[in-house]
């Protein structure tokens, strides 16, 4: 019996889907069977007919769950879905194991084998093709810059016309990880004057190679795995004060600073928001229920301040470019599944440096060292 | 007494304002007095304080009307405003004289001197700095391409990532006047594969110089003043059929074809819309109460078809980039006012090749030859 990969319809606030027809077609050619829940891809403009054409079977949810060797999901499936799964089935997706350990315990109790992209060891080069956080951050950064340009009341590029010249917009990107660099590149394509800020001095080269100006403050902090470290309260205050000067000189501020598993740092204080010129636009990619990088930002909402500045809570940008984001996500899923397939079966090597970390649960055990540490297991 | 230019708040569906603070500042330095109705610029992010800083007085509407030598407006002012104006006062704006001749008659009856940008002889080189249709079309084309990229479910640029490559979006621009060329340029900046279609073969050079592919059909029609001419029904049918082939090969179709004073031509038929792939995006810059270029488009609405294509009625794009659009508009207004100022007074030379055409009404007479012809006056 071939390995069967099932794809379910995501929750209503998620436009992405875990497999795209292009990737389904490749999987089917490699002898996997694919079951797609009816209407699973419609919000990403992938219709049932496209999956059928690619070689998948379109079925109801219960059939997709029951027939799955592995379920591919973007986000945590609902508890109704997990309840229908049985021992020995597998699950792959962004399962939020570090912040929702109850969910992990439930999967372990049911002896479901769960691979979660948040646990991927991103510095291992073999893991790059599986890196959902990177592919989706790249989408988010592109989309953030586009949305900024579409929301802004002025041209991004310099415009020279018969009646006079319009100056280019000044765009500041705070945080120059994958999302920040993509936002810088896209704003730059559109002709804005772009600068990028990071507390990791090593970012200078990447920012400058995109044609943008690199800014940094006297606070410096590189952390583990290429991320920035969390700052002390004193360092945060000093950083915020120095940043305020940069923010006041720009028209559009895109913020992308996230520290895994922690509340995002406030980079734009209430004072900076209050003092912003009318028409200033803040796009907060870190906006979530945990807070964001901009004081007063709200997830998936646009807040207009008394002074006429706008704060867009843009934590769901990847979901807003659903066709491309899903296709990238699907390629990452495909890379993992291919990696763990041996002789037509899924084989989980818990000693492998990638798979052993990606595995949240296997045969009732919590495997990932990072997750065990977060759960304070020995 | 100095010439006083008054600016009123536009109707609620218009975000633009006829003068920006930058232009007010220049006018004040040239000894004009400027009155700005309270809150006139707020939807363009130009606040009252910015006008005051530029040297204008912010006043109530009645004061602005009463004190005006000339009122600068984006669109036709309301009849309440016109009722408050008196003989000898002047008015400049997009007054729709060719389509609303009753309004012209009312202005003439009140002996208001009216300059209307639609009447500008666009081929006279001195008129270029006054060309509102050009400056606002340029804004509209930029904004249309941006909005397309922001609405589209995939990347515009080609993206090369660890997990694979995403193809660039294919964008087709129908009509390559000022708006079309700006849309082509902007989509190109964003990395899309762009082609431009026009029935005027002379457009080829402009389209190709922007790095796009030029498409044309066997129907050819250059008309007066650089515009395309209206086609016969047979020519239209032939054009539509040939265009359908181009449309089916593209992901995003931006339409910009307008014939002054007439219903816009239907370039995308219902059949093309029905056959479009899911996720196809039509942006109709000609969408108005008169109809549009895309079958089924509705002004200022997004229509989703049964097959998952979207049609955006985008007739008000200039109003959606209000700060830049207003500033460009204001520069055009400034150019006209400077042109008709002599020794601190407004002087209307009805024999001048620009002013004599721009003038809809002067001292109770209909002046513009084009308008007289449209009104069937001798």
């Amino acid at each position: 019996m071939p390995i069967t990969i099932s794809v379910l319809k995501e929750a209503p606030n998620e436009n992405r889907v875990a497999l795209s027809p292009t990737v389904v077609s490749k999987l089917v050619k490699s002898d996997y069977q694919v079951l797609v829940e009816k209407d699973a891809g419609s919000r990403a403009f992938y219709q049932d007919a496209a999956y059928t054409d690619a070689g998948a079977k379109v079925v109801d949810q219960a059939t997709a769950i029951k027939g799955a060797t592995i379920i591919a999901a973007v986000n945590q499936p609902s508890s109704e879905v997990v309840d229908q799964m049985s021992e020995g089935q597998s699950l792959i997706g962004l399962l939020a194991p570090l912040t929702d350990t109850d969910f992990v315990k439930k999967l372990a109790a049911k002896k479901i084998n769960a691979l979660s992209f948040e646990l991927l060891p991103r510095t291992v080069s073999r893991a790059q093709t599986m890196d959902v956080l990177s592919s989706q951050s790249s989408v988010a950064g592109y989309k953030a810059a586009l949305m900024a340009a579409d929301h802004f009341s002025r041209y991004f590029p310099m415009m020279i016309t018969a009646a006079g010249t319009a100056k280019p917009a000044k765009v500041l990107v705070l945080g120059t990880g994958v999302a920040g660099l993509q936002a810088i590149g896209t704003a730059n394509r559109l002709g804005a004057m772009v600068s990028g800020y990071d507390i990791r001095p090593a970012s200078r080269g990447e920012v400058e190679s995109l044609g943008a100006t690199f800014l940094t403050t006297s606070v410096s902090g590189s952390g583990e795995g290429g991320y920035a470290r969390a700052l002390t309260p004193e360092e945060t205050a000093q950083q915020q004060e120095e940043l305020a000067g940069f923010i006041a000189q720009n028209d559009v501020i895109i913020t992308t600073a996230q520290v895994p598993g922690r509340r995002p740092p406030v980079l734009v204080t209430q004072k900076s928001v209050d003092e912003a010129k009318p028409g200033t636009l803040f796009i907060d990619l870190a906006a979530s229920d945990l807070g964001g990088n901009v004081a007063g930002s709200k997830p998936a909402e646009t807040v207009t301040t008394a002074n006429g500045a706008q704060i867009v809570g843009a934590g769901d940008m990847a979901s807003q470019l659903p066709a491309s984001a899903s296709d990238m996500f699907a390629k990452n899923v495909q890379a993992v599944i291919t990696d763990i397939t041996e002789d037509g079966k899924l084989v989980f090597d818990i000693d492998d440096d990638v798979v052993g970390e990606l595995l949240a649960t296997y045969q009732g055990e919590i495997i990932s060292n990072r997750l065990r540490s977060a759960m304070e297991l020995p």
Side-chain angles (χ1 to χ4, degrees), chain A residues 141-143 145-146 156 181-192 194:
Chain A
Y142 166 76
K143 185 70 185 174
L146 262 192
F156 261 31
L181 291 173
Q182 194 66 54
I184 288 171
T186 306
N188 202 48
R189 272 179 187 274
L190 281 167
V194 189

